[in-house]
Amino acid sequence: MERGKMAEAESLESAAEHERILREIESTDTACIGPTLRSVYDGEEHGRFMEKLETRIRNHDREIEKMCNFHYQGFVDSITELLKVRGEAQKLKNQVTDTNRKLQQEGKELVIAMEELKQCRLQQRNISATVDKLMLCLPVLEMYSKLRDQMKTKRHYPALKTLEHLEHTYLPQVSHYRFCKVMVDNIPKLREEIKDVSMSDLKDFLESIRKHSDKIGETAMKQAQQQRNLDNIVLQQPRIGSKRKSKKDVYTIFDTEMENTSPKSEQDSGILDVEDEEDDEEVPGAQDLVDFSPVYRCLHIYSVLGARETFENYYRKQRRKQARLVLQPPSNMHETLDGYRKYFNQIVGFFVVEDHILHTTQGLVNRAYIDELWEMALSKTIAALRTHSSYCSDPNLVLDLKNLIVLFADTLQVYGFPVNQLFDMLLEIRDQYSETLLKKWAGIFRNILDSDNYSPIPVTSEDMYKKVVGQFPFQDTELEKQPFPKKFPFSEFVPKVYNQIKEFIYACLKFSEDLHLSSTEVDDMIRKSTNLLLTRTLSNSLQNVIKRKNIGLTELVQIIINTTHLEKSCKYLEEFITNITNVLPETVHTTKLYGTTTFKDARHAAEEEIYTNLNQKIDQFLQLADYDWMTGDLDNKASDYLIDLIAFLRSTFAVFTHLPVHLL
């Protein structure tokens, strides 16, 4: 019984399990019933479960049938409606298809336009980005183009400034572009190019000023000459109306005296002959003749590049070389004044340029460098002048050289260069000038004495008389009272020699001009030179004439008379020197003229020569005579030889009657 109960309990339990499984199958998704069915097949109640399942299916079929029967009419109606809806749906489908087809056809252009719009928007974004990048790059390109233009037009210093802006301001903003990297790589090359080009311009400048330094110097010396002329005019204005005659007044009077009685001196060179030039002509300055911009540009460029010291050393080295070339005189410089003028022009041009550089640049050259160059130039110039001036034998050339040296010194003194050594050297040249004058006047005196007829000067009218008296200071009341024609006691060489002595004094005075000498120094120089002329040159000329073999007693007597009058004229020469130097003879240390001694010595030599000639003539007469010293015939009749000797002596002594009474 218990077994029955147990079987019944198991049967109830199995039925409940099967019911649970069926509910689970009904409520579970078909994809998830695999585990449920596995539990059925794993058990032993498979058949019973199938029966339960069949029963459940039948129950559901019956329920479905009931449901269908209950809802059949509604289902039919629904099917009918559905069939109607299908037709309408087909129409709608056709309409939708047609509409879609039309929409596709109509939208095709829109799609193309949209694609184009899309591309345009993309291009617009690209263009906008490109414009932004170009706006960033454009200043760089503009600066680079500006840099190339500046280099092309040789504006190197602005080009260097532009390069600095390009490197430090613009290129860092676009450094990631390839062309910027190329620019950055080219910047050192561009700097070197600017450096090389500016140095090339400097070399051209140095070569140009080397070639044109003589023109620069000539212009500077013209300016100094014009300034000196203005200073002279200002200095002479207060003297107008003064009773004391100026030196130029004396020159004018003396030139008038000499116009018809003495050979004219050669004209001066023209370096000081400013009357022939236009006074109103404006002379340009050195800065007007020379473009110094290459020096300034190169200096700024090397300063910016940090190579200023290199540039200064190069410039100074090249200018020292040019200075040595300028200071080397040509071998034939002494032949003409133009040789000296060109030499001085080049030196002045060189130092005018250096002075301009000194005052317009900061430290390119300094005063110590300029002074060093000037000391070298001064020593070489003085040495060259001493050498070449020693070859000059023409006093006019020496005088022109002196004027040129004075102008050279005055020009450089304007620019602040010390020139005392040049004026000291001029004092040396003054001695040489005196020697050349003495040689020239030796020839003049020789010509005068050789061409003289040693006869008293005859005058036939008052004009002729005044003319002679105007040439030579002679006063004789007895001669003035005599009627025309009449004769001066001296021959023509007296006024000629007297005037030539005055012209010699005048020539000495011309050399002393502008030497910054005092009146006493000028007076002393003139008197010493005049004494040399009288005691050496004129004395030798007179002695040579007196010692000539063929000179006659008449000539010797006339020389005695002439030297007597020249001796008297020495006081007038003293007055002449006093007038032109404004130094009174009573001044301490004033040198006296030795003319009286010179003429006395010449007169004594002439007297000795007369005495010697007379003795020789008497000896000749006695030697030629054939006397019979043993004759006894005395008929109180003189020998013919003695008669001839007495006649000769009578005619000879008649010549002495022309001598002044105090000389007889």
Side-chain angles (χ1 to χ4, degrees):
M1 197 164 165
E2 289 178 0
R3 287 180 184 176
K5 287 182 180 179
M6 291 177 65
E8 186 176 359
E10 290 176 356
S11 177
L12 289 173
E13 185 179 354
S14 175
E17 181 66 23
H18 290 163
E19 187 64 26
R20 185 188 64 77
I21 290 172
L22 287 174
R23 284 197 301 272
E24 187 175 347
I25 290 172
E26 288 175 349
S27 62
T28 305
D29 190 6
T30 305
C32 299
I33 64 174
T36 304
L37 293 177
R38 182 176 293 278
S39 65
V40 173
Y41 285 102
D42 290 341
E44 296 178 353
E45 299 296 330
H46 178 266
R48 189 172 290 176
F49 177 74
M50 291 302 294
E51 291 177 358
K52 285 280 186 181
L53 181 60
E54 288 293 334
T55 301
R56 182 63 63 89
I57 291 172
R58 284 195 296 274
N59 289 335
H60 281 298
D61 286 342
R62 282 195 296 273
E63 288 178 1
I64 290 171
E65 185 177 359
K66 286 180 182 181
M67 183 67 69
C68 287
N69 288 333
F70 181 76
H71 293 288
Y72 176 75
Q73 188 60 42
F75 178 72
V76 172
D77 293 338
S78 297
I79 293 300
T80 303
E81 289 294 329
L82 184 59
L83 289 174
K84 290 181 181 179
V85 170
R86 186 176 67 178
E88 293 296 328
Q90 185 64 38
K91 290 180 182 180
L92 181 60
K93 178 183 177 181
N94 292 335
Q95 290 178 357
V96 170
T97 302
D98 186 54
T99 302
N100 181 58
R101 181 179 55 78
K102 291 180 180 179
L103 184 61
Q104 291 292 335
Q105 290 178 352
E106 295 295 332
K108 193 178 292 184
E109 295 180 0
L110 182 60
V111 170
I112 295 173
M114 289 299 294
E115 287 295 330
E116 292 178 352
L117 180 61
K118 180 182 177 181
Q119 292 295 327
C120 287
R121 289 290 175 85
L122 181 61
Q123 291 176 358
Q124 185 179 10
R125 285 198 300 272
N126 292 339
I127 290 172
S128 179
T130 303
V131 169
D132 292 340
K133 300 300 181 183
L134 285 176
M135 292 300 293
L136 196 60
C137 296
L138 190 59
V140 178
L141 298 174
E142 288 177 348
M143 290 296 289
Y144 191 79
S145 175
K146 180 181 178 181
L147 173 64
R148 300 308 300 182
D149 291 339
Q150 288 171 340
M151 294 186 65
K152 186 177 180 180
T153 55
K154 296 185 177 182
R155 298 168 58 205
H156 304 122
Y157 183 67
L160 191 61
K161 289 294 186 182
T162 303
L163 188 62
E164 293 293 322
H165 287 300
L166 184 65
E167 181 181 17
H168 297 102
T169 305
Y170 294 94
L171 285 178
Q173 300 176 3
V174 289
S175 58
H176 55 282
Y177 292 108
R178 187 170 58 186
F179 78 90
C180 292
K181 294 179 180 179
V182 174
M183 288 184 182
V184 172
D185 294 338
N186 282 336
I187 284 176
K189 298 178 182 179
L190 290 173
R191 280 201 177 96
E192 286 299 320
E193 182 180 351
I194 293 174
K195 192 175 179 181
D196 294 341
V197 172
S198 62
M199 180 56 70
S200 176
D201 290 345
L202 176 67
K203 290 178 180 178
D204 294 340
F205 167 80
L206 293 175
E207 181 65 20
S208 176
I209 60 174
R210 186 186 69 82
K211 292 180 179 178
H212 299 93
S213 60
D214 56 341
K215 181 63 177 177
I216 300 171
E218 179 184 359
T219 302
M221 291 178 74
K222 282 185 178 179
Q223 287 180 322
Q225 180 65 63
Q226 289 182 350
Q227 184 61 44
R228 191 164 68 177
N229 293 339
L230 291 175
D231 294 341
N232 290 337
I233 292 173
V234 172
L235 289 174
Q236 289 175 5
Q237 282 179 349
R239 298 182 182 179
I240 296 176
S242 176
K243 293 183 180 180
R244 185 179 294 275
K245 296 180 181 178
S246 66
K247 293 182 181 179
K248 289 201 171 184
D249 294 334
V250 175
Y251 296 163
T252 304
I253 296 171
F254 182 69
D255 288 339
T256 305
E257 283 184 348
M258 294 299 101
E259 185 175 3
N260 298 319
T261 62
S262 63
K264 293 185 179 179
S265 301
E266 296 179 11
Q267 295 296 322
D268 291 344
S269 64
I271 188 68
L272 299 179
D273 191 13
V274 295
E275 289 82 7
D276 295 337
E277 300 177 0
E278 295 183 5
D279 293 336
D280 297 335
E281 182 181 357
E282 183 177 355
V283 180
Q287 63 276 10
D288 300 321
L289 297 175
V290 182
D291 179 15
F292 290 93
S293 57
V295 180
Y296 305 146
R297 284 197 303 266
C298 199
L299 176 61
H300 290 315
I301 288 170
Y302 272 73
S303 299
V304 172
L305 296 177
R308 180 187 177 99
E309 184 176 357
T310 302
F311 174 77
E312 290 178 359
N313 293 335
Y314 175 82
Y315 177 85
R316 295 183 184 185
K317 180 180 178 181
Q318 295 301 315
R319 289 297 280 166
R320 281 194 180 95
K321 290 181 179 179
Q322 290 186 353
R324 292 188 181 95
L325 292 176
V326 166
L327 295 172
Q328 187 66 33
S331 58
N332 60 343
M333 183 175 71
H334 60 277
E335 295 179 357
T336 62
L337 190 66
D338 288 336
Y340 290 101
R341 183 182 291 110
K342 186 175 182 181
Y343 179 64
F344 288 142
N345 287 344
Q346 289 178 345
I347 297 175
V348 171
F350 178 89
F351 283 99
V352 166
V353 170
E354 289 307 290
D355 181 77
H356 188 79
I357 292 293
L358 174 66
H359 290 90
T360 56
T361 60
Q362 297 179 351
L364 177 57
V365 296
N366 52 31
R367 176 53 64 183
Y369 160 80
I370 295 293
D371 291 342
E372 177 189 352
L373 284 181
W374 175 240
E375 287 298 325
M376 177 184 70
L378 200 58
S379 61
K380 289 184 176 292
T381 302
I382 291 175
L385 289 174
R386 282 174 177 161
T387 301
H388 286 270
S389 63
S390 63
Y391 301 136
C392 294
S393 58
D394 181 8
N396 292 312
L397 180 59
V398 177
L399 180 62
D400 288 342
L401 175 59
K402 166 259 171 182
N403 292 332
L404 193 58
I405 294 174
V406 170
L407 181 58
F408 170 71
D410 289 346
T411 303
L412 289 171
Q413 194 172 29
V414 170
Y415 290 92
F417 296 100
V419 294
N420 292 334
Q421 294 184 41
L422 288 173
F423 284 102
D424 293 340
M425 186 205 60
L426 281 173
L427 299 181
E428 300 177 15
I429 296 180
R430 179 189 65 185
D431 298 334
Q432 179 189 347
Y433 176 69
S434 297
E435 290 298 323
T436 57
L437 284 180
L438 292 174
K439 290 180 181 178
K440 178 180 179 180
W441 257 259
I444 293 174
F445 288 147
R446 184 172 56 252
N447 293 333
I448 292 175
L449 296 176
D450 291 344
S451 61
D452 193 56
N453 58 7
Y454 296 96
S455 299
I457 301 175
V459 289
T460 58
S461 64
E462 185 69 25
D463 293 337
M464 293 178 64
Y465 183 86
K466 290 181 179 180
K467 180 179 178 182
V468 175
V469 173
Q471 294 173 358
F472 181 76
F474 176 77
Q475 293 180 351
D476 189 342
T477 55
E478 294 182 0
L479 182 63
E480 290 178 359
K481 295 177 181 179
Q482 294 178 9
F484 293 101
K486 52 188 174 181
K487 294 181 180 181
F488 285 95
F490 47 81
S491 65
E492 290 184 355
F493 95 65
V494 171
K496 289 182 179 180
V497 167
Y498 178 80
N499 286 323
Q500 284 302 321
I501 294 173
K502 292 176 67 176
E503 188 167 355
F504 178 87
I505 295 171
Y506 171 67
C508 293
L509 181 65
K510 288 180 68 177
F511 192 91
S512 66
E513 285 183 314
D514 303 316
L515 292 185
H516 309 296
L517 299 174
S518 65
S519 299
T520 304
E521 291 174 318
V522 173
D523 183 83
D524 185 67
M525 180 200 76
I526 292 176
R527 290 177 182 274
K528 287 181 179 180
S529 298
T530 306
N531 279 332
L532 286 176
L533 178 74
L534 295 174
T535 60
R536 193 174 73 185
T537 305
L538 181 56
S539 177
N540 290 338
S541 298
L542 290 172
Q543 293 293 337
N544 291 334
V545 172
I546 292 171
K547 299 297 182 181
R548 281 193 305 205
K549 292 182 179 181
N550 58 346
I551 191 168
L553 293 177
T554 305
E555 287 83 354
L556 291 172
V557 171
Q558 190 62 55
I559 289 175
I560 294 174
I561 297 172
N562 290 346
T563 53
T564 301
H565 289 285
L566 286 173
E567 181 182 350
K568 293 178 180 179
S569 68
C570 287
K571 63 178 181 180
Y572 298 103
L573 292 176
E574 292 269 7
E575 293 177 0
F576 178 74
I577 295 175
T578 300
N579 288 333
I580 63 176
T581 62
N582 296 326
V583 177
L584 298 178
E586 295 79 11
T587 306
V588 181
H589 305 305
T590 300
T591 305
K592 303 300 180 181
L593 290 184
Y594 302 145
T596 55
T597 304
T598 299
F599 297 124
K600 283 181 179 179
D601 292 342
R603 187 163 63 251
H604 292 159
E607 292 172 354
E608 286 291 333
E609 191 67 21
I610 291 174
Y611 177 76
T612 302
N613 288 345
L614 283 176
N615 286 335
Q616 288 177 353
K617 283 290 185 181
I618 293 173
D619 290 341
Q620 289 176 3
F621 269 99
L622 294 176
Q623 290 173 3
L624 291 175
D626 186 13
Y627 294 102
D628 184 8
W629 301 102
M630 303 303 295
T631 182
D633 184 13
L634 297 176
D635 54 359
N636 297 325
K637 182 179 180 183
S639 171
D640 294 336
Y641 297 103
L642 289 178
I643 294 173
D644 294 337
L645 176 59
I646 293 172
F648 166 74
L649 292 175
R650 185 179 288 110
S651 63
T652 299
F653 291 145
V655 175
F656 296 155
T657 58
H658 299 293
L659 290 172
V661 176
H662 66 279
L663 294 178
L664 293 175

